[in-house]
Each structure stands twice: as structure tokens, then as C-alpha cells.
Amino acid sequence: MIEMKVVGLSLDDATKAPILVLRREAGEELLPIWIGAMEAMAISIALNSVDVPRPLTHDLLLNTLRSLGAQLVAVDVVDLRDGTYFAELDILLNGSRIRVDCRPSDAIALALRADVPIFVSEDVLRRAAEDRLRPNLDENAARRPTDAASSMAREETARRDVRDRKS
């Protein structure tokens, strides 16, 4: 398993879908993963340390784990099938390790909140590179990702402010 860090979020130029960009901890290798808008928002909130008045879903899950005496140890991206990535939560409970199937976007949203490492299997990295599953990714955008979810939130806030001023 290779430790990866979240570089940020970007947007697919063609589809405008959010892209989560991971980079090898000790290197320049990138792994872009296309995710949903809501997942991008959850990741953006964690990346930007945004305080929310009530727990969001990922906060709820992390709080639940902690309340049960469990500890999220790491998250692992373990497989790539037909263009879909698969992840697992690595949880320690009562001295036993438990693995829970999870979408990578949810796993990473949790990892950022719990400040635990993100790992990707070497096989997944190799297959992602070989399969060229990133046909619409501008390499420059991946190297300098914009935080698309934060941009979306700022735009919505600006629209709301304009509406409020008109009222």
C-alpha cells in the first residue's frame, strides 16, 4: 500500500464533474478519482476546516465510531473495476481490526476528519495508469487543482447575498 495525500479538488472540463486528486506522499504520482458534487462538498469542508453548526453525515459516522469505542485507523483504496474505485475503512474495535467496504470519496472525507492516513494499493495505481482512465483530465489542472466544491459554495453564497439585497 502506498500512502497518498489529498492535493485538492478539480473539475472535469467536459462533464464539470468534481475530481478528487490524490498524490503519492513521497513523489509526484497523481491519482484522480471522479466523485459526486455532494462528496466533493464534504471533502472541501474538511480540507478547509469549515465549522458547521451541526454534524454532517461523515461527522456523524466518525462520532458514532468514537462513541462505540472504535478508532478509524486508515482508509485504503483497494480495487479498481470497470472504472470504479473501491475503498475500505480500517477500524480498530476492542483490539480487533474490522474492514468496512466504502466509496473512496466517503472514506477520504472520513480520513480528513479523523486525520488518518490514506493508502492506495500498488495494483490500483498501476492499473489506473495502464488503463488511462483519465482521458478528460488536464494534467495541469491535476497538478494545480482548484477547490471546486469551495468555489460552488462561494458562488451559491454570492447568489444568496444578491437575492437578499434585492428583497
Side-chain angles (χ1 to χ4, degrees), residues 13-33:
D13 287 335
T15 66
K16 303 302 182 207
I19 305 169
L20 169 65
V21 183
L22 302 177
R23 186 183 72 220
R24 184 186 285 253
E25 176 69 17
E28 293 299 314
E29 184 174 12
L30 298 174
L31 179 65
I33 301 175

Side-chain angles (χ1 to χ4, degrees), residues 5-10 19-23 43 47 142 145-148:
K5 292 288 184 194
V6 176
V7 178
L9 296 162
S10 188
I19 305 169
L20 169 65
V21 183
L22 302 177
R23 186 183 72 220
I43 290 168
L47 283 174
T146 59
D147 191 337

Side-chain angles (χ1 to χ4, degrees), residues 41-146:
M41 186 66 70
I43 290 168
S44 177
I45 286 170
L47 283 174
N48 294 298
S49 302
V50 174
D51 288 326
V52 293
R54 300 286 298 141
L56 300 176
T57 304
H58 297 94
D59 304 309
L60 173 65
L61 179 55
L62 189 58
N63 291 342
T64 301
L65 288 171
R66 289 175 175 161
S67 293
L68 294 172
Q71 176 187 358
L72 181 64
V73 176
V75 300
D76 303 330
V77 179
V78 296
D79 201 3
L80 171 59
R81 285 180 268 159
D82 299 321
T84 300
Y85 291 90
F86 293 80
E88 293 178 349
L89 304 178
D90 183 0
I91 298 170
L92 180 63
L93 176 64
N94 298 327
S96 297
R97 293 300 266 274
I98 300 166
R99 312 255 332 151
V100 178
D101 180 42
C102 187
R103 295 182 307 181
S105 55
D106 290 327
I108 290 166
L110 281 168
L112 292 170
R113 285 165 169 76
D115 194 27
V116 299
I118 300 163
F119 294 103
V120 178
S121 87
E122 291 183 49
D123 184 54
V124 167
L125 287 172
R126 179 187 55 75
R127 286 189 288 142
E130 285 174 0
D131 293 345
R132 302 282 182 227
L133 294 176
R134 304 175 298 272
N136 295 320
L137 179 69
D138 172 0
E139 284 298 319
N140 291 326
R143 294 190 187 285
R144 294 184 313 277
T146 59

